[in-house]
């Protein structure tokens, strides 16, 4: 009996190391299975079993669960609100693909006026003394002292007096009409001539008024200066309409039709697109460039924009009438592929690879991978992409 107990004790003692090693092996396997894995948020191909820094961008590695096989992300309501995740229903409609043309705003030469001296004399009073001043039509610009004008006024007063004295004499009437016409040609209007007749004596100092409104861009005279007839005094530009000059390649000019309506955007006012008609394409290539020049005009209410500002003209190059489309921010591109996020059911977001077609600055056509009526994430898609990489350690699709 004692021998039997002794042999049993020896067997237990001999088997104990094997059992212990097996237990240790199981523990090691469990420890290895539960070992944390780390990856880089920007480079998910970097994976290691300990914390550290990314060898590519030096960003701190973050833990992730490499064993998860779920292709979706489930968020709570507060997470959706914090991430500003919004969705839109995919639908079909007209989609026009455009090409952006670099353009500039320029003053309209047809609205640029030169104010010149109507008669030789001395500028006795200059009401506009600097450039950049905005003037209105009919505003007083300058007063000129002219002996020639005084002589013409005397001739008219004499002819008018003879006409009143001899009303039946046609010759005196012709002389008076001729003298009046001379005054009108030198800028004297009906009111000025009536005032002259009322006073009955010449007025060599005469004030001239603006015949158009606009911005004074050039001032070529000073007070007290003698000027000759026809001499340039001021230059006035009206900015109520501006020219739009865009650079267009000869191959693109074939896509354009005269009178075609195009869209124009000005930096800072992208949400207020304008419309212009293609009025003219210069037939010769610009000096030093390989482009033609497209010209149109836009309204400029309250002189909101100034000449010299940059602009963009959108030239339509293709269009489809029944195109399944989503907002352009909904599509995430990664190299040669693209994907979107679908919400189904609520607060459950699944990435889906798609193929894109036509696109413009607002929408993109989906030719494969999406059905009409599905809910597509519009804002917050990049946050979902980052969250997926952090939790799964791989690209969504």
């Amino acid at each position: 009996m004692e021998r039997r107990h002794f042999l049993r004790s020896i067997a237990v003692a001999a088997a104990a190391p094997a059992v212990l090693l097996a237990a240790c092996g199981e523990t090691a396997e469990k420890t290895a299975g539960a070992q944390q894995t780390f990856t880089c948020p920007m480079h998910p191909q970097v994976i290691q079993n300990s914390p550290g820094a990314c060898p590519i961008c030096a960003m701190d590695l973050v833990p992730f669960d490499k064993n998860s096989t779920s292709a979706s992300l489930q968020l709570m309501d507060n997470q959706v609100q914090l991430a500003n995740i919004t969705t839109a229903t995919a639908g079909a409609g007209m989609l026009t693909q455009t090409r952006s043309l670099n353009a500039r705003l320029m003053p309209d030469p047809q609205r640029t006026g030169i104010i010149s001296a109507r008669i030789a004399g001395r500028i006795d009073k200059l009401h506009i003394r600097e450039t950049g001043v905005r003037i209105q039509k009919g505003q007083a610009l300058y007063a000129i002292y002219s002996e020639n004008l005084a002589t013409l006024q005397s001739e008219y007063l004499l002819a008018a007096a003879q006409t009143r004295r001899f009303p039946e004499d046609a010759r005196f009437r012709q002389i008076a009409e001729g003298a009046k016409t001379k005054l009108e040609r030198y800028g004297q209007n009906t009111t000025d001539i009536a005032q002259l007749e009322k006073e009955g004596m010449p007025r060599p100092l005469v004030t001239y008024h603006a015949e158009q409104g606009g911005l004074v861009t050039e001032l070529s005279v000073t007070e007290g200066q003698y000027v000759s007839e026809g001499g340039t005094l001021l230059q006035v530009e009206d900015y109520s309409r501006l020219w739009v000059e865009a650079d267009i390649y000869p191959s693109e000019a074939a896509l354009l039709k005269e009178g075609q309506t195009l869209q124009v955007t000005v930096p800072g006012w992208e949400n207020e697109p304008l419309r212009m008609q293609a009025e003219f394409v210069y037939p010769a290539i610009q000096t030093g460039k390989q482009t033609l020049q497209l010209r149109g005009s836009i309204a400029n209410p309250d002189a909101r924009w100034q000449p010299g500002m940059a602009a963009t003209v959108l030239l339509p190059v293709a269009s489809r009438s029944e195109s399944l489309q989503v907002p352009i921010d909904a599509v995430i591109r990664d190299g040669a592929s693209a994907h979107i996020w679908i919400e189904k059911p609520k607060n459950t977001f699944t990435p889906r690879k798609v193929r894109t077609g036509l696109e413009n600055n607002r929408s993109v056509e989906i030719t494969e991978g999406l059905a009409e009526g599905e809910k597509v994430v519009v804002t917050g898609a990049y946050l979902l992409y980052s969250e997926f990489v952090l939790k799964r350690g791989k690209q969504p699709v």
Side-chain angles (χ1 to χ4, degrees):
M1 180 66 72
E2 293 180 358
R3 178 180 177 83
R4 185 180 300 173
H5 285 293
F6 176 75
L7 292 175
R8 184 180 297 175
S9 300
I10 293 297
V12 172
V19 174
L20 181 61
L21 289 175
C24 290
E26 292 178 2
T27 304
E29 289 180 1
K30 292 181 180 179
T31 303
Q35 187 175 20
Q36 186 65 65
T37 310
F38 296 83
T39 186
C40 175
M42 298 300 295
H43 303 92
Q45 68 270 26
V46 176
I47 300 175
Q48 65 184 44
N49 296 328
S50 60
C54 175
I56 300 176
C57 63
M59 182 179 290
D60 291 338
L61 302 182
V62 296
F64 77 99
D65 184 6
K66 67 178 181 179
N67 297 318
S68 177
T69 58
S70 175
S72 302
L73 289 177
Q74 291 184 344
L75 303 180
M76 294 183 294
D77 290 338
N78 60 342
Q79 291 177 312
V80 172
Q81 293 176 0
L82 288 174
N84 190 29
I85 296 175
T86 60
T87 60
T89 302
M94 171 67 74
L95 180 64
T96 301
Q97 184 173 0
T98 59
R99 189 170 298 171
S100 297
L101 307 179
N102 295 326
R104 300 154 299 279
L105 302 183
M106 304 295 292
D108 187 347
Q110 298 178 356
R111 297 176 179 270
T112 299
I114 300 295
I115 297 177
S116 58
R118 302 299 297 270
I119 196 167
R122 185 188 73 242
I123 302 298
D124 190 77
K125 178 68 175 178
L126 191 62
H127 297 280
I128 306 299
R129 296 175 176 268
E130 58 185 3
T131 59
V133 177
R134 189 170 299 279
I135 62 175
Q136 304 295 330
K137 183 177 181 179
Q139 180 178 338
L141 297 180
Y142 63 93
I144 188 171
Y145 177 84
S146 174
E147 294 183 359
N148 293 339
L149 187 59
T151 300
L152 294 176
Q153 291 175 346
S154 298
E155 291 178 1
Y156 174 74
L157 289 174
L158 178 61
Q162 290 176 334
T163 301
R164 289 192 299 271
R165 186 173 180 181
F166 304 101
E168 303 298 331
D169 196 325
R171 183 181 178 184
F172 288 149
R173 289 199 302 272
Q174 291 177 352
I175 294 175
E177 288 296 328
K180 182 179 180 181
T181 301
K182 288 182 180 180
L183 290 176
E184 290 175 345
R185 289 179 177 175
Y186 285 108
Q188 299 290 282
N189 55 36
T190 304
T191 303
D192 296 331
I193 295 174
Q195 185 67 24
L196 177 64
E197 290 186 19
K198 182 178 180 181
E199 294 176 358
M201 56 184 303
R203 293 183 293 109
L205 185 64
V206 179
T207 299
Y208 284 88
H209 300 79
E211 298 181 357
Q212 74 173 75
L215 193 71
V216 177
T217 57
E218 184 178 333
L219 184 62
S220 306
V221 68
T222 57
E223 196 170 276
Q225 179 179 339
Y226 281 86
V227 295
S228 59
E229 181 180 343
T232 300
L233 305 181
L234 302 94
Q235 177 173 303
V236 179
E237 294 182 353
D238 181 6
Y239 294 157
S240 60
R241 289 195 70 86
L242 294 176
W243 272 11
V244 180
E245 295 182 347
D247 298 328
I248 181 172
Y249 288 102
S251 59
E252 297 172 334
L255 304 172
L256 189 64
K257 298 179 181 179
E258 186 176 352
Q260 181 178 349
T261 301
L262 303 176
Q263 194 176 80
V264 182
T265 58
V266 180
W269 289 271
E270 288 84 359
N271 294 329
E272 301 179 27
L274 307 169
R275 292 186 177 275
M276 80 167 192
Q277 287 188 339
E279 298 174 355
F280 184 73
V281 176
Y282 291 88
I285 292 178
Q286 301 179 76
T287 304
K289 298 182 178 180
Q290 295 300 316
T291 58
L292 302 173
Q293 194 173 81
L294 164 68
R295 190 187 73 201
S297 63
I298 58 173
N300 186 23
D302 303 325
R304 180 182 301 179
W305 304 293
Q306 292 75 43
M309 294 181 66
T312 301
V313 175
L314 302 180
L315 176 66
V317 296
S319 63
R320 289 197 178 97
S321 58
E322 291 297 327
S323 171
L324 185 61
Q325 55 189 284
V326 296
I328 194 168
D329 291 336
V331 180
I332 298 179
R333 292 176 171 85
D334 182 15
S337 64
H339 73 271
I340 58 177
W341 289 85
I342 304 295
E343 184 186 22
K344 185 180 180 181
K346 183 180 179 181
N347 293 352
T348 299
F349 304 95
T350 304
R352 185 183 298 176
K353 189 174 182 179
V354 294
R355 183 172 295 177
T356 60
L358 299 181
E359 63 180 270
N360 53 32
N361 60 338
R362 292 186 178 183
S363 303
V364 57
E365 179 188 21
I366 305 297
T367 60
E368 185 178 326
L370 180 65
E372 186 173 356
E374 290 188 295
K375 285 189 175 181
V376 181
V377 174
V378 178
T379 61
Y382 280 95
L383 291 177
L384 292 175
Y385 172 85
S386 301
E387 182 72 10
F388 190 93
V389 171
L390 289 176
K391 288 187 175 181
R392 306 292 189 268
K394 58 182 180 180
Q395 299 291 346
V397 290

